[in-house]
């Protein structure tokens, strides 16, 4: 059994965005805004919700994630705000 240390990277996005895979093992999309956030055309995080993709520390996610804000045509002033958290694991020797 291995022990791991983890490093986190945070990004805040306020417009449509593509998160490129870069050896993270876990990623979370937290919708802190007022409009729904759609991930890769399928999964939706409504305001106040999060979407998580968690793998084992020795597994790397090899998928790019497209973040799309679903705008309300009746109220374009609603805020767009998604916090992305990526987790990177390294074995401790």
């Amino acid at each position: 059994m291995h022990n791991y240390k983890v490093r986190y990277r945070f990004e805040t996005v306020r417009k449509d965005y593509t998160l490129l895979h870069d050896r993270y093992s876990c990623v979370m999309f937290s919708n802190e805004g007022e409009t729904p956030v759609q991930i890769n055309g399928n999964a939706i995080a409504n305001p106040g919700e999060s979407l998580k993709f968690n793998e084992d520390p020795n597994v790397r996610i090899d998928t790019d994630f497209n973040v799309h804000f679903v705008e309300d045509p009746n109220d374009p002033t609603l805020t767009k705000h998604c916090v992305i958290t990526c987790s990177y694991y390294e074995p401790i020797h």
Side-chain angles (χ1 to χ4, degrees):
M1 175 147 185
H2 293 282
N3 290 318
Y4 293 89
K5 62 181 178 177
V6 64
R7 176 178 56 86
Y8 296 100
R9 179 172 60 91
F10 302 92
E11 290 189 50
T12 298
V13 295
R14 292 187 169 89
K15 61 181 180 178
D16 290 356
Y17 176 76
T18 298
L19 176 68
L20 301 176
H21 66 280
D22 70 349
R23 304 188 54 78
Y24 47 80
S25 296
C26 302
V27 62
M28 180 172 62
F29 301 90
S30 299
N31 187 351
E32 304 295 327
E34 299 172 317
T35 63
V37 174
Q38 188 176 45
I39 306 299
N40 283 6
N42 294 311
I44 299 238
N46 288 308
E49 295 179 344
S50 298
L51 291 172
K52 302 174 188 176
F53 300 89
N54 293 316
E55 301 298 335
D56 290 333
N58 58 341
V59 175
R60 303 292 182 250
I61 296 174
D62 193 35
T63 299
D64 295 337
F65 290 95
N66 295 310
V67 178
H68 172 70
F69 291 93
V70 182
E71 296 187 54
D72 182 345
N74 298 319
D75 192 353
T77 64
L78 295 175
T79 60
K80 303 173 194 173
H81 184 177
C82 182
V83 176
I84 302 171
T85 306
C86 298
S87 304
Y88 302 82
Y89 291 91
E90 298 175 29
I92 298 173
H93 301 288

